[in-house]
Amino acid sequence: MPENTMTDMMNGRVGDHVLVNGQKNPRLAVAMGTKRRLRLYNATNARFLRLAFVNAAMTVIGSDGGLLEAPVAADEILLSPAERVELVVAFDKPGTATLTTLDYDRGWMGPGRPEDKRLALLTADVSDTQAEPMPPLPERLRPIARFGQPTVSRRLVFTETMAMKPTGMEMGFLINGMAFDMRRVDIVARAGDTELWETVNQADMDHPFHLHCTQFQLIERERDGKVSKPPYLAWKGTVNVARGETVRLVTRQERPGTRMYHCHILEHEQLGMMGVVDVQA
Ligand SMILES: [Cu+2]
């Protein structure tokens, strides 16, 4: 494999092809009226996938952390690196139905922004023979417990720096002005405490934020003073914090020990965008 270029270091390395289960645009044969449950996991290093299904209807039934409370119809889904979503796709029209990408600007830096729209990821050939009728989705999938009032709040500010080093320009990706240091504890938390984490992206690129050893619930997003609530309650392990955006989430660590939180783009995490939380009993 060739070494990372400067563009790879800045944006996170993006491959030339997007594969689904190791194949380029694999085909699926289904009868008209079929519903299929698809689990999508963005396992790319740094490609943001804004997904749509042409000629098939998507219903979201799960997130990173399992089932939602109820199914939610979706025209498009933004899946940042490491995010997951679980869908039921209804193939009701004969012909081809394609899982495709729409344009999404994640704040690409420098030249060589890859073409991100109209990539055919998966194609279904829908026959005109009617499938056996399928049962409707249940109205309720499972309850999701809401957190109580947080007793601790934290603020994590993401920034990018560029410095001239003897080896050339070097990017830095920082949380609260600091690059990752394995020997430093950034946050001391107590097991069982409900915590509000405010992640503030003051950088020029989106950063998919991941927290280890637990899950969280998204509370709200804020941009230019405008607050928006998420369309549904879900357990999450990774959330995209878009450039210029503040994302508030609530979480609780149950197990004592030290662990990391970080941007899930490997180059960003390697160049500093990671911290240590020490959870005490
Ligand atoms: Cu990042």
Side-chain angles (χ1 to χ4, degrees):
M1 286 222 295
E3 288 293 313
N4 263 9
T5 63
M6 183 66 190
T7 299
D8 294 335
M9 296 307 278
M10 284 194 292
N11 299 286
R13 185 162 170 155
V14 174
D16 300 320
H17 304 277
V18 180
L19 305 181
V20 173
N21 292 351
Q23 298 175 69
K24 180 117 187 204
N25 190 15
R27 294 191 92 96
L28 178 73
V30 292
M32 185 173 54
T34 301
K35 288 191 182 77
R36 283 285 173 95
R37 181 176 183 168
L38 301 182
R39 285 178 157 157
L40 309 186
Y41 170 32
N42 185 347
T44 71
N45 175 50
R47 201 186 275 266
F48 290 68
L49 299 170
R50 190 176 149 222
L51 301 166
F53 226 120
V54 180
N55 280 334
M58 298 189 292
T59 304
V60 181
I61 59 164
S63 64
D64 305 354
L67 293 173
L68 306 184
E69 291 183 303
V72 180
D75 291 329
E76 58 173 78
I77 290 155
L78 179 65
L79 213 56
S80 71
E83 271 188 303
R84 288 172 289 168
V85 70
E86 198 166 326
L87 304 175
V88 170
V89 181
F91 298 100
D92 290 333
K93 292 180 210 155
T96 53
T98 312
L99 179 63
T100 187
T101 58
L102 304 170
D103 197 33
Y104 181 71
D105 184 7
R106 35 70 64 98
W108 186 267
M109 287 178 89
R113 187 186 160 199
E115 186 63 70
D116 275 334
K117 59 175 177 291
R118 287 193 287 277
L119 303 175
L121 303 185
L122 167 79
T123 302
D125 296 302
V126 186
S127 74
D128 45 20
T129 355
Q130 188 73 41
E132 291 284 302
M134 295 194 123
L137 281 169
E139 269 170 45
R140 310 302 302 171
L141 299 173
R142 67 158 177 179
I144 294 181
R146 269 113 178 121
F147 282 110
Q149 198 59 33
T151 52
V152 179
S153 53
R154 314 206 180 269
R155 185 175 157 90
L156 280 68
V157 180
F158 306 157
T159 52
E160 295 151 6
T161 57
M162 215 182 264
M164 199 61 197
K165 294 277 166 71
T167 48
M169 286 299 270
E170 206 167 272
M171 291 290 299
F173 294 89
L174 311 177
I175 299 178
N176 292 344
M178 285 181 290
F180 175 66
D181 181 345
M182 201 163 74
R183 292 154 301 184
R184 186 185 69 226
V185 169
D186 298 284
I187 290 174
V188 177
R190 223 174 48 203
D193 276 357
T194 299
E195 301 198 351
L196 173 76
W197 286 40
E198 183 177 67
T199 55
V200 183
N201 189 348
Q202 294 177 353
D204 296 319
M205 281 183 261
D206 287 16
H207 293 289
F209 179 75
H210 176 58
L211 171 62
H212 280 221
C213 236
T214 187
Q215 290 179 334
F216 51 81
Q217 292 173 2
L218 189 58
I219 300 301
E220 60 189 21
R221 296 173 177 275
E222 182 175 341
R223 176 192 288 281
D224 303 326
K226 253 184 64 190
V227 174
S228 59
K229 299 281 176 193
Y232 47 79
L233 185 65
W235 286 111
K236 295 283 292 167
T238 301
V239 64
N240 187 41
V241 188
R243 57 214 161 102
E245 190 178 52
T246 293
V247 171
R248 297 186 184 92
L249 51 95
V250 179
T251 190
R252 183 160 62 209
Q253 295 273 358
E254 301 289 358
R255 264 176 291 172
T258 53
R259 62 213 49 153
M260 280 90 73
Y261 50 89
H262 57 95
C263 171
H264 219 287
I265 293 174
L266 295 184
E267 288 83 353
H268 294 177
E269 164 258 299
Q270 281 299 106
L271 291 170
M273 197 170 272
M274 176 153 69
V276 172
V277 53
D278 180 14
V279 180
Q280 300 185 344

